[in-house]
């Protein structure tokens, strides 16, 4: 049962659809590991830029991307909530919820917190058993420290729980995972008002395997490196360009490279238009797709929306995200 859930989440477009088209063809599911919900885009802003976020400053949900980036913008604190009906075209019932925030204690210290929850479609239990409504969730806390002007680091610890094994009286699985991040920001032409460039590095989801009754499974360990440049063209208009390169480390069946690139146009820091493209390895259950989105910010409150475009062979085509947040 647990393998079925994982196949739907990561490899549905390569295994489940192929099986539906030709019952005579046997497709082996990828050994995708555990807690793959930790790899899903967590907010509408980064999702609109194809998931890029490791070098983005001013992000209330930085705990999911790179906690060190909280020192890349002047806000003292921020928090945001995101909802997404993940893989809504493939099968209804997947519900992703995330909450993240940060608080800068002073110019050198900041704390971060986050929560992620993925609900799965209901499936029939075993003989004489009720239907199963599985879920996975993670709660995390982090600390960021400003080493030098423009340079900061962060560390995050999370507790991960998976109820995919809670079938016919069996227990789920849990573990702990750790992230580390580095962020550097430098003004262009010596003046912040003339824009800036940033670079970031994140190593995420490293920790012990999740121990199910059927065996131990790797977490989706990944290393990301990214950069961004913010280019103000006048007092009213600016464009931010960003790119992430991600290396999926574990498990070995889905070890791969992917690239996400996006752009954000801002009018008076009030209206935002975004777009992006993600290039992934389809054979590793990571299809390529395009994204678009928009946002509105007023008096610290912000609402963002994004949409994912992909071909019919991509299980998460037409997924969308909506985020509401506040920064001050």
């Amino acid at each position: 049962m647990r393998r079925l859930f994982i196949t739907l989440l990561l490899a549905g477009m390569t295994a489940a659809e192929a099986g539906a088209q030709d019952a005579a063809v046997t497709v082996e599911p990828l050994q995708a590991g555990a807690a793959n919900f930790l790899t899903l885009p967590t907010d509408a802003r980064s999702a609109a830029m194809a998931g890029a976020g490791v070098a983005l400053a001013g992000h209330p949900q930085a705990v999911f991307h790179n906690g060190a980036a909280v020192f890349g913008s002047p806000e003292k604190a921020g928090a945001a909530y995101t909802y997404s009906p993940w893989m809504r075209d493939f099968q209804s019932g997947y519900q992703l919820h995330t909450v993240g925030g940060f608080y800068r204690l002073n110019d050198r210290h900041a704390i971060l917190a986050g929560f992620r929850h993925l609900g799965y479609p209901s499936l029939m239990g075993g003989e004489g058993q009720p239907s199963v409504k599985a879920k996975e969730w993670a709660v995390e806390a982090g600390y960021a420290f400003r080493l030098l002007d423009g340079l900061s680091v962060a560390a995050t610890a999370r507790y991960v729980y998976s109820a995919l094994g809670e079938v016919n009286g069996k227990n789920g699985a849990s573990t702990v995972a750790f992230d580390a991040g580095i962020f550097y920001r430098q003004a262009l032409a010596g003046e912040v008002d003339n824009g800036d460039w940033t670079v970031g590095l994140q190593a995420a989801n490293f920790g012990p395997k999740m121990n199910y009754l059927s065996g131990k499974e790797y977490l989706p360990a990944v290393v990301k490196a990214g950069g961004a440049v913010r280019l103000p063209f006048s007092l009213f208009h600016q464009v931010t360009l960003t790119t992430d390169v991600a290396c999926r480390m574990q498990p070995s069946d889905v070890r791969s490279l992917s690239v996400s690139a996006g752009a954000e146009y801002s009018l008076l820091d009030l209206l935002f238009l975004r777009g992006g493209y993600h290039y992934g390895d389809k054979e590793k259950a990571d299809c390529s797709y395009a994204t678009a989105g928009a946002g509105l910010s007023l008096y610290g409150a912000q609402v963002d929306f994004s949409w994912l475009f992909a071909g019919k062979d991509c299980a998460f085509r037409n997924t969308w995200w909506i985020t509401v947040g506040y920064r001050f």
Side-chain angles (χ1 to χ4, degrees), residues 202-236:
Q202 183 201 38
N205 305 320
F206 285 83
K209 294 180 180 180
M210 297 194 77
N211 189 10
Y212 294 90
L213 292 180
S214 59
K216 295 183 178 181
E217 297 281 357
Y218 282 105
L219 291 172
V222 62
V223 175
K224 295 182 179 181
V229 58
R230 184 176 62 90
L231 304 169
F233 293 103
S234 69
L235 293 176
F236 306 113

Side-chain angles (χ1 to χ4, degrees), residues 187-303:
L188 292 173
E191 297 290 339
V192 173
D193 289 344
N194 291 332
D196 54 37
W197 59 268
T198 57
V199 293
L201 178 67
Q202 183 201 38
N205 305 320
F206 285 83
K209 294 180 180 180
M210 297 194 77
N211 189 10
Y212 294 90
L213 292 180
S214 59
K216 295 183 178 181
E217 297 281 357
Y218 282 105
L219 291 172
V222 62
V223 175
K224 295 182 179 181
V229 58
R230 184 176 62 90
L231 304 169
F233 293 103
S234 69
L235 293 176
F236 306 113
H237 309 279
Q238 72 176 22
V239 171
T240 299
L241 306 175
T242 186
T243 301
D244 281 7
V245 177
C247 178
R248 176 72 178 262
M249 307 297 292
Q250 294 288 354
S252 58
D253 270 20
V254 289
R255 189 173 297 160
S256 61
L257 286 173
S258 63
V259 179
S260 298
E264 176 184 75
Y265 164 74
S266 170
L267 174 63
L268 293 171
D269 284 330
L270 174 68
L271 176 66
F272 301 86
L273 300 176
R274 307 179 180 103
Y277 187 81
H278 172 86
Y279 175 79
D281 187 343
K282 182 181 177 182
E283 294 185 357
K284 303 296 184 179
D286 182 18
C287 61
S288 300
Y289 55 82
T291 57
L296 182 65
S297 179
L298 188 64
Y299 299 113
Q302 185 151 351
V303 178

Side-chain angles (χ1 to χ4, degrees), residues 42 61 171 237:
T42 54
Q61 293 190 333
N171 295 324
H237 309 279

Side-chain angles (χ1 to χ4, degrees), residues 171-183:
N171 295 324
S174 62
T175 189
V176 293
F178 303 94
D179 298 356
I182 302 173
F183 181 83

Side-chain angles (χ1 to χ4, degrees), residues 25-60:
V25 177
T26 300
V27 181
E28 289 294 329
L30 294 173
Q31 301 300 309
N36 282 287
F37 76 103
L38 296 175
T39 67
L40 304 184
T42 54
D43 60 275
R45 184 192 182 200
S46 62
M49 292 184 279
V54 73
L56 286 179
H59 213 307

